[in-house]
Amino acid sequence: MTYLRDFDPANYLTDDETIAHYLALAAQEDDPDAFLQALGDVARARGIGEISKGTGLSRTNLYRVLAPGSNPSYHTLRRVMEALGVSISAVVKPKDHAPI
């Protein structure tokens, strides 16, 4: 029988550029839980204890805030992102080209 290990994205989030791309892709998803999951993965990659200290949230609250289905406030998300060393940018989407 073959055993496979569970895939954990946090194991591959080893540098700032990879983390930025990962979060940018998650932010493009229609599902808001995708972005929360991605933030949680980055927090685990960077060390949940350090992020907890940086946000002022307990580890338990940090896990709760980043859990799928949670609805964290904008202020809380900003605190988490600040502790992770990332920010969000807005860009103009290209307009769809109408068929000729």
Side-chain angles (χ1 to χ4, degrees):
M1 180 182 285
T2 303
Y3 292 97
L4 300 175
R5 291 185 292 165
D6 290 333
F7 176 76
D8 185 359
N11 294 332
Y12 301 92
L13 300 171
T14 57
D15 60 83
D16 292 341
E17 188 174 346
T18 302
I19 288 170
H21 286 293
Y22 184 64
L23 290 174
L25 288 172
Q28 292 176 8
E29 293 293 322
D30 288 335
D31 181 5
D33 287 343
F35 188 67
L36 291 176
Q37 179 69 46
L39 280 176
D41 294 339
V42 174
R44 286 186 300 104
R46 294 262 169 106
I48 203 77
E50 290 301 313
I51 304 307
S52 175
K53 290 177 190 174
T55 61
L57 297 170
S58 70
R59 291 171 61 101
T60 303
N61 282 341
L62 187 57
Y63 280 117
R64 189 175 301 133
V65 162
L66 299 175
S70 70
N71 190 16
S73 69
Y74 177 74
H75 177 70
T76 301
L77 282 179
R78 289 289 308 256
R79 286 170 48 193
V80 171
M81 292 177 66
E82 179 71 27
L84 292 172
V86 298
S87 65
I88 291 181
S89 311
V91 295
V92 176
K93 283 185 171 182
K95 295 184 179 179
D96 292 339
H97 298 295
I100 298 176

